[in-house]
Coordinates of all heavy atoms in Angstrom, one line a residue:
R165 N -23.3 -29.6 41.1 CA -24.1 -29.3 39.9 C -25.6 -29.1 40.2 O -26.1 -29.7 41.1 CB -23.9 -30.4 38.9 CG -22.5 -30.8 38.6 CD -22.2 -31.1 37.1 NE -22.2 -29.9 36.3 CZ -21.0 -29.4 35.9 NH1 -19.9 -29.9 36.2 NH2 -21.1 -28.3 35.2
A166 N -26.2 -28.3 39.4 CA -27.7 -28.1 39.4 C -28.1 -28.1 38.0 O -27.4 -27.6 37.1 CB -28.1 -26.9 40.1
P167 N -29.3 -28.7 37.7 CA -29.8 -28.6 36.3 C -30.0 -27.2 35.8 O -30.4 -26.3 36.6 CB -31.2 -29.3 36.4 CG -31.3 -29.9 37.8 CD -30.3 -29.3 38.6
A168 N -29.7 -27.0 34.6 CA -29.7 -25.6 34.0 C -31.1 -24.9 34.3 O -32.1 -25.5 33.9 CB -29.4 -25.6 32.5
Y169 N -31.0 -23.8 34.9 CA -32.1 -22.9 35.1 C -33.2 -23.4 35.9 O -34.4 -23.0 35.7 CB -32.6 -22.3 33.7 CG -31.4 -21.8 32.9 CD1 -31.3 -22.1 31.5 CD2 -30.4 -21.1 33.5 CE1 -30.3 -21.6 30.8 CE2 -29.3 -20.6 32.7 CZ -29.3 -20.9 31.4 OH -28.2 -20.4 30.6
D170 N -32.9 -24.3 36.9 CA -33.9 -24.8 37.9 C -33.5 -24.2 39.2 O -32.6 -24.6 39.9 CB -33.8 -26.3 37.9 CG -34.7 -27.0 39.0 OD1 -35.1 -26.2 39.9 OD2 -35.0 -28.2 38.9
G171 N -34.3 -23.1 39.5 CA -34.0 -22.3 40.7 C -34.0 -23.1 42.0 O -33.2 -22.9 42.9
D172 N -35.0 -24.0 42.1 CA -35.2 -24.8 43.4 C -34.0 -25.7 43.6 O -33.4 -25.8 44.7 CB -36.5 -25.6 43.4 CG -37.7 -24.7 43.4 OD1 -37.6 -23.5 43.8 OD2 -38.8 -25.2 43.0
A173 N -33.5 -26.3 42.5 CA -32.4 -27.2 42.6 C -31.1 -26.4 43.0 O -30.3 -26.9 43.8 CB -32.2 -27.9 41.3
L174 N -31.0 -25.3 42.4 CA -29.8 -24.5 42.8 C -29.8 -24.1 44.2 O -28.8 -24.1 44.9 CB -29.8 -23.2 41.9 CG -28.6 -22.3 42.1 CD1 -27.3 -22.9 41.7 CD2 -28.8 -20.9 41.4
E175 N -31.0 -23.7 44.7 CA -31.2 -23.3 46.1 C -30.8 -24.4 47.0 O -30.1 -24.2 48.0 CB -32.6 -22.8 46.3 CG -32.9 -22.3 47.7 CD -34.1 -21.4 47.9 OE1 -34.8 -21.2 46.9 OE2 -34.3 -21.0 49.0
A176 N -31.2 -25.6 46.6 CA -31.0 -26.8 47.5 C -29.4 -27.0 47.6 O -28.9 -27.2 48.7 CB -31.6 -28.0 46.9
V177 N -28.7 -26.9 46.5 CA -27.3 -27.1 46.5 C -26.6 -26.0 47.4 O -25.7 -26.3 48.3 CB -26.7 -27.1 45.1 CG1 -25.2 -27.2 45.1 CG2 -27.2 -28.3 44.3
I178 N -26.9 -24.8 47.1 CA -26.2 -23.7 47.8 C -26.6 -23.6 49.3 O -25.7 -23.4 50.1 CB -26.5 -22.3 47.1 CG1 -25.9 -22.3 45.7 CG2 -26.0 -21.2 47.9 CD1 -26.0 -21.1 44.9
A179 N -27.8 -23.9 49.6 CA -28.2 -23.8 51.0 C -27.5 -24.9 51.8 O -27.1 -24.7 52.9 CB -29.8 -24.0 51.1
R180 N -27.4 -26.1 51.1 CA -26.7 -27.2 51.8 C -25.2 -27.1 52.0 O -24.7 -27.3 53.1 CB -27.0 -28.5 51.0 CG -26.6 -29.8 51.6 CD -26.7 -31.0 50.6 NE -25.7 -30.8 49.5 CZ -25.9 -31.2 48.3 NH1 -27.1 -31.8 48.0 NH2 -25.0 -30.9 47.4
D181 N -24.6 -26.5 51.0 CA -23.1 -26.6 51.0 C -22.4 -25.2 51.0 O -21.2 -25.2 50.8 CB -22.6 -27.4 49.8 CG -22.8 -28.9 49.9 OD1 -22.6 -29.4 51.0 OD2 -23.2 -29.5 48.9
H182 N -23.1 -24.2 51.4 CA -22.6 -22.8 51.2 C -21.3 -22.6 52.0 O -20.4 -21.9 51.5 CB -23.6 -21.7 51.6 CG -24.1 -21.8 53.0 ND1 -23.4 -21.1 54.0 CD2 -25.1 -22.5 53.6 CE1 -24.0 -21.4 55.1 NE2 -25.0 -22.2 54.9
A183 N -21.1 -23.3 53.1 CA -19.9 -23.1 53.9 C -18.6 -23.5 53.1 O -17.5 -23.0 53.4 CB -20.0 -23.9 55.2
S184 N -18.8 -24.4 52.1 CA -17.6 -24.8 51.4 C -17.6 -24.3 49.9 O -16.8 -24.7 49.1 CB -17.5 -26.4 51.4 OG -18.7 -26.9 50.7
I185 N -18.6 -23.4 49.6 CA -18.7 -23.0 48.2 C -18.1 -21.6 48.0 O -18.4 -20.7 48.8 CB -20.2 -22.9 47.8 CG1 -20.8 -24.3 47.8 CG2 -20.3 -22.3 46.4 CD1 -22.3 -24.4 47.5
A186 N -17.2 -21.5 47.0 CA -16.6 -20.2 46.7 C -17.4 -19.4 45.7 O -17.6 -18.2 45.8 CB -15.2 -20.4 46.2
A187 N -17.9 -20.2 44.7 CA -18.6 -19.4 43.6 C -19.6 -20.3 42.8 O -19.5 -21.5 42.8 CB -17.5 -19.0 42.6
F188 N -20.6 -19.6 42.3 CA -21.5 -20.2 41.3 C -21.2 -19.6 40.0 O -21.2 -18.4 39.8 CB -22.9 -20.0 41.8 CG -24.0 -20.2 40.7 CD1 -24.0 -21.5 40.1 CD2 -24.9 -19.3 40.4 CE1 -25.0 -21.8 39.1 CE2 -25.9 -19.5 39.4 CZ -25.9 -20.8 38.8
I189 N -20.9 -20.5 39.0 CA -20.7 -19.9 37.6 C -21.8 -20.4 36.7 O -22.2 -21.6 36.7 CB -19.3 -20.3 37.1 CG1 -19.0 -19.7 35.7 CG2 -19.1 -21.9 37.0 CD1 -17.5 -19.8 35.3
L190 N -22.3 -19.5 35.8 CA -23.3 -19.9 34.9 C -23.2 -19.0 33.6 O -22.6 -17.9 33.6 CB -24.7 -19.7 35.5 CG -25.4 -18.3 35.3 CD1 -26.9 -18.4 35.6 CD2 -24.8 -17.3 36.2
E191 N -23.8 -19.6 32.5 CA -24.0 -18.8 31.3 C -25.4 -18.2 31.5 O -26.4 -19.0 31.6 CB -24.0 -19.7 30.1 CG -22.7 -20.4 29.9 CD -22.8 -21.7 29.0 OE1 -22.8 -21.6 27.8 OE2 -23.0 -22.8 29.6
P192 N -25.5 -16.9 31.6 CA -26.8 -16.3 31.9 C -27.9 -16.5 30.8 O -29.1 -16.5 31.1 CB -26.5 -14.8 32.0 CG -25.1 -14.7 32.1 CD -24.5 -15.9 31.5
I193 N -27.4 -16.8 29.6 CA -28.2 -17.4 28.5 C -27.4 -18.5 28.0 O -26.1 -18.3 27.9 CB -28.6 -16.4 27.4 CG1 -29.6 -15.3 28.0 CG2 -29.2 -17.1 26.2 CD1 -30.0 -14.2 27.0
G194 N -27.9 -19.6 27.7 CA -27.1 -20.8 27.3 C -26.4 -20.5 26.0 O -27.0 -19.9 25.1
G195 N -25.2 -20.9 25.9 CA -24.5 -20.8 24.6 C -24.5 -22.1 23.9 O -25.6 -22.7 23.7
S196 N -23.3 -22.6 23.6 CA -23.3 -23.9 22.8 C -23.7 -25.1 23.6 O -24.1 -26.1 23.1 CB -21.8 -24.1 22.3 OG -20.9 -24.1 23.3
S197 N -23.6 -24.9 25.0 CA -23.9 -26.1 25.8 C -25.4 -26.5 25.7 O -25.7 -27.7 25.6 CB -23.6 -25.8 27.3 OG -24.3 -24.7 27.7
T198 N -26.3 -25.5 25.8 CA -27.7 -25.9 25.8 C -28.4 -25.5 24.5 O -29.5 -25.8 24.3 CB -28.5 -25.1 26.9 OG1 -28.3 -23.7 26.6 CG2 -27.9 -25.3 28.3
G199 N -27.6 -24.9 23.6 CA -28.2 -24.5 22.3 C -29.1 -23.3 22.5 O -30.3 -23.3 22.2
A200 N -28.6 -22.2 23.1 CA -29.2 -20.9 23.3 C -30.5 -21.0 24.1 O -31.5 -20.3 23.9 CB -29.5 -20.3 21.9
L201 N -30.5 -21.8 25.2 CA -31.6 -21.9 26.1 C -31.7 -20.6 26.9 O -30.7 -20.1 27.4 CB -31.4 -23.1 27.0 CG -32.6 -23.5 27.8 CD1 -33.8 -24.0 26.9 CD2 -32.3 -24.7 28.7
V202 N -32.9 -20.0 27.0 CA -33.1 -18.8 27.7 C -33.7 -19.1 29.1 O -34.7 -19.8 29.1 CB -34.0 -17.8 26.9 CG1 -34.2 -16.5 27.7 CG2 -33.4 -17.5 25.6
P203 N -33.1 -18.7 30.2 CA -33.7 -19.1 31.5 C -35.1 -18.4 31.7 O -35.3 -17.4 31.1 CB -32.7 -18.5 32.5 CG -31.9 -17.5 31.8 CD -31.9 -17.9 30.4
P204 N -35.9 -19.1 32.5 CA -37.2 -18.5 32.8 C -37.0 -17.1 33.5 O -36.1 -17.0 34.3 CB -37.9 -19.5 33.7 CG -36.9 -20.4 34.2 CD -35.7 -20.3 33.2
E205 N -37.9 -16.2 33.2 CA -37.8 -14.8 33.8 C -37.8 -15.0 35.3 O -38.5 -15.7 35.9 CB -39.1 -14.1 33.4 CG -39.4 -12.8 34.1 CD -38.4 -11.6 33.7 OE1 -37.9 -11.7 32.6 OE2 -38.2 -10.8 34.6

Side-chain angles (χ1 to χ4, degrees):
R165 309 217 77 100
Y169 309 139
D170 176 339
D172 292 341
L174 180 68
E175 182 159 1
V177 173
I178 292 185
R180 186 189 65 213
D181 285 321
H182 61 91
S184 63
I185 297 174
F188 166 53
I189 184 167
L190 88 165
E191 299 159 87
I193 289 177
S196 57
S197 58
T198 62
L201 195 63
V202 178
E205 169 71 27

